[in-house]
Structure formats: structure tokens, C-alpha cells
């Protein structure tokens, strides 16, 4: 499999479409324990990022991902904007000037990206945030890459881990972000940011995994 | 949804165009990225004071731009923090070389976007100090959580820090003062009705005709508790009790009392609230040396109020009294 | 009914107690009969300017008492004109011997009660001149009817006449000026929602979720017509058209534009309204030399707005710019 | 029949009671074409007037009526306050220092009182105001007194004329008072002030007429 710049652009484009589809569901999740805008924020940001990538073709995967990060930073606002901004800028940093992405480089990039989110947001595992989806995803990918798994399979495992992590936020009491103002009242609802993170990783697995057959 | 708007997506932009038209000469409104500065910014040699946050809290922050208060305000979408590129551009526009104070309300989005902007600004050679305001006693404080929200103290910090900057005090000093104001101020709010975010179109929360929400945030975030409607005097006691206990405020203290409307509450009701605040503080021998009654930090058309107390000392009182000339707050000029 | 009040019958009294507590030192609040004066009234040698009317329009009139504007405000019950004994007592309290101007909004109740009070005051040896404000173009004018209502121009007349009195001009002169302001000003308002009079407890009128009332008065009196909700820009055109046609205002005119909130409308929406006012006047080459955007003459918690245009000349502009120091309007002081 | 100060006081006391009973109806009439407070205004004013008369016994009918007028002036507010104030002060002026009231003196006083209302309010017959009840009442009383009718019968005729006049306001378009802002929309509703005027005159006929048997 060869994941190059066009495949990265595909990922962002298909993520934008998926986020537009899921806009209302994410808004509703956020309305339960936040301010109801997470779907709108994400859809706006990714649509802008996809448009920017379509307009100016970047040279490397990292350049594409940096453009996404900068676009999210300047279009999303709220908590998710700087966090997903850090995430994509972290991915770009992890990939350096590589022309192609494989399981090992992507695993390293993902680990670096998640570290960037944690550095920025200071959330720990179990705080009921996107970190609860991203951290297990990065760990699963790292293990799979270490075991020499195929990239497609590794991505699928990573996406599944993110989904499990997102679902596991439901019973938690939020300790970071807007949901934390609710205290105990935040328990019983799935975190919207963890949900959108799992969605992004699922799209990556689907988009890039197909190439891997 | 009944609003005097055209397109829900254009609310912030069109309101900014209105601000630009109404206050040309006093304010400069910049679009894409959106921010408002004093018309005469940067003011040579002066520390610049900048704040910002989601729109829908007017006059906060744009209405407080002008001599003696903010040099710049950075409005996000309604109830959504502005983005780092906006904050960066505004920071650069008002920096005279003496540095820029960022006054940030404690919401994760605001904190993260301002942090990112500050890093970028510092990388561009601007001296930035950021102070986070977190005065809302309705939220339990803890180092393990996002902590308390920033509400009414923001207005007071903007005024007082603006006066200090105007007086020529250096950045570190103005930042310390800002932290001092935040440390000495406590607030709590309540809502009788919900607000409606324009691009959502339905009320953020539903309250029964006989219910109210105590400890509400300024974005329609749920509060401490939902209880049956009560007379104004009882509501004041519900808000003032936690405020007084928290600092705590004690007999002999001198305070500034802000009775703030949430946007949809008429002034006549705010004075009924102020009456009870004055009575209760009088009973506790706490002297209200300064006050402010009106709509200063709002939540769109939400009906309700918040109360903020700031413990005064001679320095704070003097800075409060210093001239200020903004659309939303003006005296001595 | 959701209000920050205690007893519907005590709203005015308790709000006045709040005003007394909040503005001690600036304002003197007198009870039974109720009226508010400048703390330093009577001001020796100065013509006194007095206004009043039903409560529920705050900051009008009490919020406009102070140097450069009103010497006294006389609040009636909510939406009910004050009684002659109140007006008489306030008139006597502020008369320094130079006479008292009564600025009266054109409602039968206000006119009759002020007339009676003026007769009594004159009998007591006070020189009184009364000017009736009737700027609301929503009402057809006719000498056979009660005529037009007094609305937004009242705020402008109070400011401008207050400045003239402060400048030492004699009573007849200030009264002539007041008539001039009234003659050069036109207003029209609209409502998105009704207000609720506290002692009534139910909305004064019912509007569908998709309806608005055009040409509404400030007491929830029905307007010219009830129509489907429209975007803000179209609403502005509905209000501005009749205003411009009536005086008429012409290309080359210089005006003061007041975009006034009815009490429940957030500031962000008023700026969207102002934006369109500025655009439309710009298209007609009418120059907005001064403006005011905010809640100045309200109808309790009613959502909606009114627009007032005053044709300026150098004298009016200069008097408008003169210092004013009141809780509701302040500059230069 | 002898109508002296106690009977005047009775009239005011019973009027206050009747206005309290009719408060809501008068408010509703006023809500249709005004601001919905006429019942509250009248009840407040007459209750205050009755209390004042109960507290300090005036010496003459005119003194009692002047007290009523001054009390209405200082407690009613709105349009009705000065108008009914003028009305009662006019009645007092018309009676002078007479110790007793008969059909002739009352007719003269009523005529003077109505003239006072017209002078103050500048309403003409047909403007849809209290004048539409008061004017026919005064005219009918004057005719009856001129014909030497018994006071009780004269009062009853006068009250009936007021009621007819009040009912006749229904189709009219208001030209005075708050209802005039409605223009054509004011037609089809009975004027609240005319209604309260008729009520006052009905109570006078009932209170004093009973004495006349
Ligand atoms: N400190 C944090 N660290 C990591 N993620 C966070 C943090 N705070 C909030 N989040 C994530 O952001 C999501 C909310 O994003 P969004 O609704 O777009 O922003 P806002 O809360 O400003 O409206 C939450 O569901 C959570 O997953
Ligand atoms: N100019 C006038 N002359 C005579 N009666 C009037 C006049 N204006 C109003 N009224 C009477 O006053 C009544 C309304 O009184 P009220 O509701 O108490 O006062 P307001 O209109 O100030 O609320 C009307 O129904 C009408 O009969
Ligand atoms: Mg959100
Ligand atoms: Mg948000
Ligand atoms: Mg009335
Ligand atoms: Mg009425």
C-alpha cells in the first residue's frame, strides 16, 4: 500500500462529508453536556480544510496535514479548534518530509499528535474528552505496527479502539471542558469530542484500508 | 425564534458592521479576521489590554473598547471563542512595543485559543501576558477540572486594568493587578428564561413557567440547580450567599457591587435586585462603595441576572474611578 | 409571568428604593409622593427641567436625572401617568425661582395630570412651561384626536433642554427649544413580543410565533398593523420609510439617529438594526452626525425596537454634545 | 327626601364597592381599546376616597365631594384621574355650601361637573369617552328637574340616560384618549370610561333613590 498526499487529501475530504452527515448527532451529544455546537464546529472546520486542500495541492502528506491543522485553528474556535489543530499539526510534525506513509510512520505521527493534544488540553485518560478515544487508538496502532501488522488491519484496529474508548466515556463524570461545569450531571452521556475523534479514525481506516487490499 | 436579525449565520458580521457605522472615529472594526480596536491604536508606550470571547454577551467585549479600558476586543461566533489568528492579528494591531495583556474568561475554548495566539504572538516578538478570569462560584473549583467560569469580574478587570495601562504601568504590573481583581471578585447568576442561539433556532434549555435555573453560565450552560420561581428578594439571597461565603466577604469590607442583567431583563427589575443586595450587605456591615446596575455581560435575550462583588482597596477604587470612554461604560470623559 | 420582582403592587416603590440605594449622592429619591431629583436641586438661578410618566420605560425618566439633563423625574405606576400632587411636589422641589419646564409625552393621562399640576404650581407662584412631545408617526395626526404619542424624541428633548438650562438659558427659551426638538424629530417602533404589566400578570397582547406588530406604542398599545415576521433589514425599512416621509427628511440633512431597544432585545440585534439605518440614510445622502444605540425608552421586557431621527442644526448638535452626567446617559463628566 | 353629607358618603362607599366588583370587567373593556387598567385605576381611587371620607367626616356634601375629587386626582393617575377629579371638584363647586341636595341643586352641580370634564379633556359628544355618558345624564336630569320630577325618579332617568350613552359608544371610532391610537380598530367596543360613569350615576340613583320613596 502507498498512502501519499492524494490519500491524505481523500481522508480529509471524506471526513468533511462524514462530519456534515453527523453534524446533528454531534450537536445533540454536545447539547446534552455542553453547548450544542460540536457538530457545527467540526463540519465547518473540515469543510474549510477540504476546500483549502482542493484549491492548493500540497506537496507532502505533512504539508497537507499542516494545512488542515492551521485551517482548523482559524475556523473551528471553541475547545475543539485548538485541540484538533494541535492534533493535525502534530501529525504533520511526526511525518516530517516523508512522501509516503506506512504503519510505522503513521503510528509515530499519531503518538506525537495525541501528545500534542494532551499538552494543549491537559486532559488525562478518563477525563471524558477526545483523549479517551485518541490515546487507545494510538496505543493499539503502535502495538499493531510493532507486530508487523498490515497497515489496513492496523488502522482498523486503531479505529475500533477509538470507538470503544469513545463509548466508554458515557458513564464518566467530565473533568475537562464545558461538560465539567455539570459535575455529576455529565455522567450518562457520550463525549462529543471523543465521538468525533473515533469518526475521523474510522474514516482513515476505511479510506486507506481499501487501498491496502 | 423571534430576533431582529437577517441571516443567523451573519449575525456577528452584521452587528460588527453596525458597530463600525455607529462608532466610526472611536473604534476601528477589522473584518476577516474580526476584531475591534481603539481608533487610535496602538497607543505609543502604553501596555495594550485585549479581551475577547464568543459573541452574544454585548456590550462585553466590543462595547468596552476605548480610552481607559480595552485596546482591542476579539469577537468569536455567538458563544464560540475566537480563533488564534483573530487574537494574534488583534494583538499585533494594538501592540505599541509595551506588550499586550490578554484577559481571558475561563472556558476551555477561550483558554486554548488565547494560549495558541499568545504563543504565536510571542514568536512574532510581542510581549504577551495572559490572565484567566474565573469568578463564578456556581461552579465547584478544583485543580482537576476546567475550574470556574469567568463571568462578571471580566468587566471589572477590563475597566481596572485599562485604567492601570492608561496610567503607564508596565505589563507585568497590569497582569498582577488583573490577577488581584480576579482573586478579589466573586459572581453568581440565574436565569428566568433561556436564550436562543441564532444558528440553533431553539432555546438552549427548557424551563417551566414556574421554574428558574440557579447558577447558570453566560452561554445557557445548566446551573447548580433548577428550582421553583421565587420572589426577587429570595433569589438575591440564593446568589449572594455563596458569593459572600466563598471569598469570604466580611463585615467591614468595602465592595463594588455589580448587578448585571442577562440581556432580556428590564432595568426596573435590576433595581429591585440591587435594593435587596444593598439591604443584605448593609445588614452584614459590608459597605458598597461603588456599584453598577445594568446589562454588561449578557446572554443574548436571556432573562435573569447575576451579581458580582469585588472587594475594594484604595488602589482599585481609584482605578475604577479613572476616566473611561467606551460605548458601554463612560465617565470622566 | 417571570419577573425579578417581589410583589407586583410594590414594583415601582422597590425599584425606587433600589435607585435611591444605587445613586445616593447623585440622586435624591422622595417617597409619597414619589419623585426623583438631582441631589443638588434646586440649582440656583437655573431653569429646572422635569419630566415624568408611567414607570416601566426605564432608564426613562429617572435614569436621566442629573447635571445636563433632568432636574426631576416623576414616576407613575407602571404604564400609568403620575398624579398632579407628585408632579407639583417635584416641581416645587426643583424650582430655584427661574421656573420649571415640564416635558410631557402626549398621552391623555400624562397631559391632563401635568396640566393640573402646572395649574396648581402656577397658583403657588412657580413659573411653569409645558411642552408636549408627539413624535410617533405610527399614529395618524389630527387636531380632532388625541394626536400622536410621545416616544423616542422625549429622550432627545430631555438631553438637549437639560443642556440649554445648564447653560443658563431662560424658561421661555428652553421651552421654545423643546418645541423645536419635537418638531424636528420623528419616531416609529415595532414589537416582536408583548410586555407583561406586573399587576396584570398576562401579556398585554398575543402575537403568533411568526408575527410582529408594527407601529407599536411604548405601553403595548396595538400598532398600525400586525404582519408576518421579516428580516431585520425589512423591518428597518418599514419603520424608516414613514419617518423619512413625514418630516420629511431630505438629502443633505444632518441627523441624530436613535436606535432604541424595547427592553428585551439584546444589543447585538440593535447594532444589526443600526447597520441598516446607516445604509439607508447613506443611500439618501442623509448624514448621521450623532447616534445612540441601546435601551433608552423601553416597555418592560418587550422585544422590539424603535427608531428616532432628529434633524440637527449646529445649535442642537452643540447642546447634544454638552456634558451630561446621569445614570442612563453620561459624557463629558 | 333629604340628601345630606352622610348620603353623599354612602354614594362614594357603595361606588367603591361596585367598582371593586366591576374591576375586571372595566379592565377588560380597557384592554380591548386601551391599556387595560381602567378598572384597577377606578377601584384604587374610590377605595381611597371612601377610606378618606370614613376617616374624617366632612361637614357639607360639597366638602365630601371635594375630598373625593382631590383623592381621585392623587390616586388614580392616567386619563381618568384628572377627569374624574374635575368631575367631583365640579360637583362640589356646583353645590357650594348647601347642607342638603335636591334635584335642582344636583342638576346644576352635575351640569357644572360635566362642563369641567369637557374643559379638561376637550372631548366632544361622540368622541367615545365618558362625556358620552355624562352629557346625556346631565341633560336628562336638568329636564326632569325643570319638569319638577321627584329627585329619585330624576336620578333614575339620568342613570338610564348615562347607560344608553355608554352603550352607544360601542360602534364609535375613538377620537380622544388612548383608544384613539387604534383609529378604526376602536369601533365595536364599549368605552370603559363611559361605562364607569354610568355605573357611578346608577349607584347614586339606587342609593339616594331608595331614600326618596
Ligand atoms: N481540555 C481538554 N482536553 C481534551 N479535549 C477536550 C478538552 N476540553 C474539551 N475537550 C473536547 O472538546 C469537545 C467539545 O468541543 P466543542 O463543543 O467544539 O467546543 P466548546 O466546548 O468550546 O463548545 C469535548 O467533547 C471534549 O472532547
Ligand atoms: N380627552 C378625554 N375626555 C374625556 N374622557 C376621556 C378622555 N380621554 C380618555 N377619556 C376617558 O378615560 C378612559 C380611560 O381611562 P383610564 O384607562 O383610567 O386611563 P388611561 O387611558 O390613561 O389608562 C376612557 O375610556 C375615556 O372614557
Ligand atoms: Mg461545544
Ligand atoms: Mg462552543
Ligand atoms: Mg393607563
Ligand atoms: Mg387605561
Amino acid at each position: 500500500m502507498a498512502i501519499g498526499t492524494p490519500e491524505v487529501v481523500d481522508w480529509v475530504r471524506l471526513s468533511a462529508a462524514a462530519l456534515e452527515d453527523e453534524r446533528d448527532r454531534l450537536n445533540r451529544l454536545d447539547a446534552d453536556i455542553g453547548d450544542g455546537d460540536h457538530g457545527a464546529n467540526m463540519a465547518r472546520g473540515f469543510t474549510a480544510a477540504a476546500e483549502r486542500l482542493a484549491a492548493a495541492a500540497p506537496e507532502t502528506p505533512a504539508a497537507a496535514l499542516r494545512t488542515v491543522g492551521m485551517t482548523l485553528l482559524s475556523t473551528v474556535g471553541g475547545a475543539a479548534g485548538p485541540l484538533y489543530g494541535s492534533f493535525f499539526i502534530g501529525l504533520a510534525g511526526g511525518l516530517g518530509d516523508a512522501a509516503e506513509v506506512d504503519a510505522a510512520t503513521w503510528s509515530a505521527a499519531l503518538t506525537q499528535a495525541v501528545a500534542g493534544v494532551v499538552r494543549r488540553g491537559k486532559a488525562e485518560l478518563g477525563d471524558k474528552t477526545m483523549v479517551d478515544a485518541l490515546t487507545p487508538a494510538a496505543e493499539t496502532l503502535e502495538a499493531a505496527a510493532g507486530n508487523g501488522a498490515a497497515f489496513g488491519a492496523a488502522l482498523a484496529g486503531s479505529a475500533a479502539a477509538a470507538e470503544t474508548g469513545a463509548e466508554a466515556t458515557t458513564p464518566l463524570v467530565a473533568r475537562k471542558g464545558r461538560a465539567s461545569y455539570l459535575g455529576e450531571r455529565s455522567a450518562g452521556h457520550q463525549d462529543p469530542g471523543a465521538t468525533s475523534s473515533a469518526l475521523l479514525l474510522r474514516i482513515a481506516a476505511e479510506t486507506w484500508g481499501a487501498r491496502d487490499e | 425564534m423571534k430576533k431582529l436579525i437577517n441571516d443567523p449565520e451573519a449575525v456577528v458580521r452584521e452587528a460588527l458592521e453596525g458597530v463600525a457605522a455607529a462608532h466610526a472615529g472611536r473604534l476601528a472594526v477589522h473584518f476577516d479576521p474580526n476584531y475591534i480596536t481603539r481608533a487610535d491604536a496602538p497607543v505609543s508606550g502604553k501596555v495594550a489590554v485585549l479581551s475577547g470571547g464568543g459573541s452574544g454577551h454585548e456590550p462585553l467585549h466590543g462595547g468596552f473598547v476605548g480610552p481607559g479600558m480595552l485596546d482591542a476586543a476579539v469577537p468569536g461566533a455567538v458563544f464560540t471563542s475566537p480563533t488564534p489568528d483573530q487574537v494574534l492579528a488583534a494583538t499585533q494591531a494594538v501592540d505599541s512595543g509595551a506588550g499586550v495583556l490578554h484577559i481571558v474568561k475561563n472556558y476551555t475554548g477561550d483558554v486554548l485559543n488565547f494560549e495558541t495566539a499568545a504563543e504565536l504572538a510571542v514568536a512574532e516578538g510581542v510581549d504577551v501576558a495572559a490572565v484567566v478570569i474565573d469568578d463564578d462560584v456556581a461552579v465547584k473549583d478544583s485543580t482537576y477540572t476546567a475550574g470556574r467560569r469567568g463571568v462578571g469580574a471580566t468587566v471589572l478587570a477590563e475597566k481596572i486594568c485599562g485604567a492601570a495601562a492608561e496610567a503607564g504601568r508596565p505589563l507585568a504590573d497590569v497582569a498582577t493587578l488583573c490577577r488581584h481583581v480576579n482573586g478579589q471578585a466573586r459572581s453568581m447568576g440565574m436565569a428566568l428564561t433561556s436564550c436562543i442561539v441564532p444558528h440553533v433556532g431553539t432555546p438552549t434549555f427548557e424551563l417551566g413557567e414556574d421554574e428558574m435555573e440557579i447558577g447558570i453560565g453566560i452561554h445557557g450552560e445548566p446551573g447548580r440547580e433548577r428550582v421553583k420561581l421565587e420572589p426577587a428578594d429570595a433569589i438575591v439571597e440564593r446568589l449572594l450567599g455563596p458569593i459572600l461565603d466563598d471569598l469570604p466577604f466580611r463585615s467591614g469590607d468595602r465592595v463594588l457591587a455589580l448587578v448585571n442583567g442577562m440581556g432580556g431583563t428590564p432595568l426596573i427589575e435590576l433595581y429591585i435586585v440591587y435594593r435587596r443586595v444593598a439591604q443584605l450587605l448593609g445588614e452584614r456591615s459590608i459597605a458598597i462603595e461603588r456599584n453598577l446596575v445594568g446589562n454588561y455581560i449578557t446572554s443574548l435575550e436571556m432573562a435573569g441576572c447575576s451579581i458580582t462583588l469585588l472587594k475594594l482597596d484604595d488602589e482599585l477604587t481609584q482605578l475604577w474611578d479613572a476616566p473611561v470612554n467606551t460605548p458601554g461604560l463612560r465617565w470622566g470623559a
Side-chain angles (χ1 to χ4, degrees), chain B residues 13 35 76 159 231 240 264:
Chain B
R13 185 181 185 93
Y35 59 87
K159 166 67 183 85
L240 210 50

Side-chain angles (χ1 to χ4, degrees), chain B residues 174-207:
Chain B
V174 180
T176 302
L177 177 70
C178 193
R179 275 183 287 270
H180 176 57
V181 170
N182 183 53
Q184 299 295 89
R186 296 294 185 276
S187 301
M188 190 155 151
M190 58 79 58
L192 292 172
T193 64
S194 176
C195 49
I196 300 181
V197 177
H199 56 263
V200 176
T202 52
T204 306
F205 55 91
E206 295 288 348
L207 268 180

Side-chain angles (χ1 to χ4, degrees), chain B residues 70-92:
Chain B
L70 295 180
D71 293 82
V74 189
V78 172
F79 291 175
T80 301
S81 60
T83 54
D85 56 315
Q86 288 179 264
V87 178
L88 172 63
T91 301
Q92 291 177 309

Side-chain angles (χ1 to χ4, degrees), chain A residues 30 35-38 41 77-79 178, chain B residues 78-81:
Chain A
D30 193 31
D35 59 353
D37 61 358
H38 187 62
N41 294 343
R178 208 176 282 281
Chain B
V78 172
F79 291 175
T80 301
S81 60

Side-chain angles (χ1 to χ4, degrees), chain B residues 20-294:
Chain B
H23 305 298
R26 303 175 75 180
L27 303 183
V29 180
H30 192 280
F31 293 92
D32 300 317
N34 296 345
Y35 59 87
I36 303 175
T37 71
R38 287 171 59 158
D40 60 352
V43 181
S44 162
K46 190 183 86 69
V47 165
V49 182
L50 176 155
S51 191
S55 292
H57 308 301
E58 291 69 24
L60 190 86
H61 301 271
F64 298 139
V65 175
M69 209 159 169
L70 295 180
D71 293 82
V74 189
V78 172
F79 291 175
T80 301
S81 60
T83 54
D85 56 315
Q86 288 179 264
V87 178
L88 172 63
T91 301
Q92 291 177 309
V94 295
D95 181 37
S96 70
V100 182
L101 175 68
H102 286 183
I103 301 181
V104 185
K105 302 196 293 304
N106 189 34
Y107 301 93
T108 304
D110 291 64
V111 169
L112 296 182
N113 284 285
F114 272 87
E115 246 174 44
T116 306
E119 286 168 16
L120 297 170
V122 167
E124 303 280 341
V126 181
D127 204 3
V128 175
V131 175
V132 174
I133 304 292
D134 59 349
D135 56 316
D136 186 349
V137 301
V139 175
K140 279 227 187 62
D141 202 6
S142 152
T143 47
Y144 301 107
T145 68
R148 289 179 162 173
R149 299 173 292 218
V151 287
T154 316
V155 179
L156 312 183
E158 292 177 1
K159 166 67 183 85
I160 288 169
C161 295
E166 210 71 56
R169 288 162 66 166
L171 180 59
D173 196 10
V174 180
T176 302
L177 177 70
C178 193
R179 275 183 287 270
H180 176 57
V181 170
N182 183 53
Q184 299 295 89
R186 296 294 185 276
S187 301
M188 190 155 151
M190 58 79 58
L192 292 172
T193 64
S194 176
C195 49
I196 300 181
V197 177
H199 56 263
V200 176
T202 52
T204 306
F205 55 91
E206 295 288 348
L207 268 180
E209 185 48 37
D210 60 342
E211 287 179 326
M212 60 180 177
E213 185 84 28
I214 299 289
I216 193 95
I218 54 172
H219 309 90
E221 309 97 304
R224 272 196 180 192
E225 46 179 348
R226 179 166 297 191
V227 298
K228 292 277 165 231
L229 207 57
E230 291 176 355
D233 285 359
I235 292 171
V236 171
E237 284 165 41
R238 278 187 187 271
L239 301 183
L240 210 50
I243 290 172
L244 291 170
D245 291 349
D246 193 272
L247 191 63
F249 293 88
R250 298 177 205 276
S251 156
D253 281 351
R254 301 145 52 193
V255 300
L256 185 160
L258 162 60
V259 169
N260 173 63
M262 290 298 192
T265 291
L267 202 49
I268 193 169
E269 296 180 24
L270 297 181
Y271 276 107
I272 292 177
V273 169
Y274 184 81
R275 164 187 173 274
R276 188 65 186 150
V277 170
Q279 285 175 348
L280 290 174
L281 294 184
E283 285 169 14
R284 281 171 180 71
S285 304
I286 296 171
I288 306 183
E289 274 196 357
R290 297 292 181 274
N291 66 64
L292 208 53
V293 182

